[in-house]
Amino acid sequence: MVVGQRVLLFQLIVVAVLVLNHINVQGLKLGYYQKTCPNAESIVWKTTYGFVSRAPTLAAPLLRLHFHDCFVRGCDGSVLLNSTKNQAERDAVPNLSLRGYHVIDAVKSAVEKACPGVVSCADIVALVARDSVSMIHGPSWEVPLGRRDGRVSRLNEALANLPSPFFNITQLKQNFAAKGLNMKDLAVLSGGHTIGTSHCIAFGNRLYNFSGRGDTDPSMDPKYIAQLKQKCKPGDTTTLVEMDPGSFKTFDEDYYTLVTKRRGLFESDAALLDDAETKAYVFHQASVHGSTFEKDFAVSMVKMGRVGVLTGNQGETRKHCAFVN
């Protein structure tokens, strides 16, 4: 080999090493804390299990916390920050019903005891969402780690970025596309509504005043409307209703069966029938009893968990999840 070729080969190797390092610094990777906090993931699991084993209904809010974090400023733990002079995301109307902050705080505290200042709150939110879903016999997925915590949290950004239960299919499409998520991700992640509850106010307009003339939503099964009216009176802001009646504690494919029967609770659920691709996915899962739903959900959750992440030297690793350092 001539000298020139050797030099070129050496330069290519150096560039390849630099590129790999750049990917590791800028991106997320599995086993990120292997050297700096080897027991991090087992501590997260154990602490989360302490809560979810006693109260399985916590799984849905903990999953929702991850969604609401990632859709505003990316998965950077900004939803956990308390308001200061500026109002933070957690005080925006769509986030007032978020629960599970105490679980995140307990996990953070346990991890800090083992490895102070190493594991980010953003990574903890992602791990707790996965662990809590798998603890109620839902799917599990590998969670690439290395997210850093953001220092900014703004109420108005939550209002602008979170998908609303009142969205139509066009609005949902735009909202998900802005996060790099496609129509399949929309159909799959909507399936998260197989667990959890909602306040009447998030769908009350469909029962009593859909178009401003005291009417009901024609896209909803009238028998289901009658059932919901028995639980939710006009203007009810406190009553909770199961999103997947009969199996709201179980991660299953029933959600899709309900949507095919025009019994999705939100306008955003019904909207899945207004696009050829999302409609096909809904009917397919209903017909095959969700044979690929769990696998699809795992794939879309990993994808969502990468949205707008801070890595490397960006952001910080908070000591307390509700406050910047």
Side-chain angles (χ1 to χ4, degrees):
M1 191 184 282
V2 296
V3 174
Q5 285 176 316
R6 280 184 190 152
V7 170
L8 181 61
L9 184 63
F10 178 72
Q11 287 173 334
L12 287 171
I13 289 169
V14 169
V15 168
V17 169
L18 287 172
V19 167
L20 282 172
N21 284 340
H22 179 76
I23 289 167
N24 284 346
V25 169
Q26 296 304 321
L28 307 177
K29 65 174 183 176
L30 296 172
Y32 180 82
Y33 296 109
Q34 216 159 357
K35 289 179 181 169
T36 52
C37 191
N39 295 325
E41 293 190 48
S42 59
I43 294 169
V44 173
W45 170 273
K46 190 177 173 186
T47 312
T48 305
Y49 184 76
F51 287 94
V52 176
S53 60
R54 291 195 304 271
T57 53
L58 270 171
L62 291 168
L63 175 62
R64 188 167 175 241
L65 207 54
H66 188 28
F67 276 105
H68 282 230
D69 183 31
C70 292
F71 269 76
V72 187
R73 302 189 76 84
C75 314
D76 67 343
S78 54
V79 73
L80 306 172
L81 287 170
N82 282 343
S83 290
T84 51
K85 284 176 289 188
N86 303 309
Q87 283 190 292
E89 290 170 35
R90 67 193 285 171
D91 290 329
V93 169
N95 286 337
L96 293 177
S97 57
L98 286 178
R99 295 190 298 123
Y101 294 108
H102 65 296
V103 179
I104 304 298
D105 289 340
V107 171
K108 177 65 172 170
S109 176
V111 173
E112 282 294 304
K113 270 183 198 155
C115 322
V118 173
V119 182
S120 69
C121 298
D123 274 345
I124 286 171
V125 169
L127 286 168
V128 167
R130 186 270 311 271
D131 291 350
S132 57
V133 166
S134 68
M135 281 167 196
I136 58 163
H137 311 297
S140 186
W141 54 91
E142 298 270 28
V143 179
L145 300 168
R147 295 166 190 78
R148 303 267 289 170
D149 296 323
R151 298 188 182 97
V152 178
S153 184
R154 298 190 182 106
L155 178 146
N156 61 337
E157 290 184 359
L159 295 174
N161 285 279
L162 288 170
S164 163
F166 308 110
F167 272 5
N168 61 34
I169 194 65
T170 305
Q171 293 166 310
L172 288 168
K173 212 175 200 171
Q174 290 168 345
N175 182 266
F176 272 62
K179 312 298 173 198
L181 300 169
N182 60 30
M183 295 304 279
K184 183 176 181 181
D185 296 316
L186 167 60
V188 171
L189 295 174
S190 295
H193 290 167
T194 180
I195 52 173
T197 56
S198 168
H199 286 95
C200 295
I201 197 166
F203 57 88
N205 65 312
R206 302 184 77 194
L207 312 181
Y208 294 106
N209 197 24
F210 186 64
S211 63
R213 296 194 298 270
D215 54 344
T216 58
D217 183 347
S219 72
M220 193 182 232
D221 175 8
K223 288 180 184 171
Y224 191 38
I225 288 176
Q227 287 175 24
L228 290 171
K229 278 184 170 180
Q230 290 177 347
K231 296 176 183 175
C232 300
K233 298 304 168 199
D236 185 339
T237 58
T238 54
T239 304
L240 286 168
V241 172
E242 298 170 9
M243 290 195 282
D244 184 353
S247 71
F248 78 106
K249 295 179 185 177
T250 313
F251 203 98
D252 56 28
E253 78 289 348
D254 278 3
Y255 167 80
Y256 295 107
T257 305
L258 287 171
V259 174
T260 64
K261 292 177 176 175
R262 297 164 56 214
R263 289 182 164 225
L265 198 57
F266 308 123
E267 285 172 65
S268 59
D269 295 324
L272 296 179
L273 301 180
D274 295 333
D275 170 85
E277 191 178 345
T278 52
K279 182 179 182 178
Y281 187 85
V282 167
F283 274 86
H284 176 69
Q285 292 306 331
S287 67
V288 299
H289 303 294
S291 63
T292 63
F293 171 47
E294 292 202 352
K295 185 176 70 120
D296 292 341
F297 193 80
V299 170
S300 288
M301 285 300 294
V302 172
K303 196 171 169 186
M304 186 194 78
R306 293 180 179 277
V307 171
V309 293
L310 302 174
T311 55
N313 296 322
Q314 300 168 313
E316 63 183 16
T317 298
R318 284 183 226 141
K319 292 183 181 73
H320 302 281
C321 291
F323 311 96
V324 295
N325 291 343

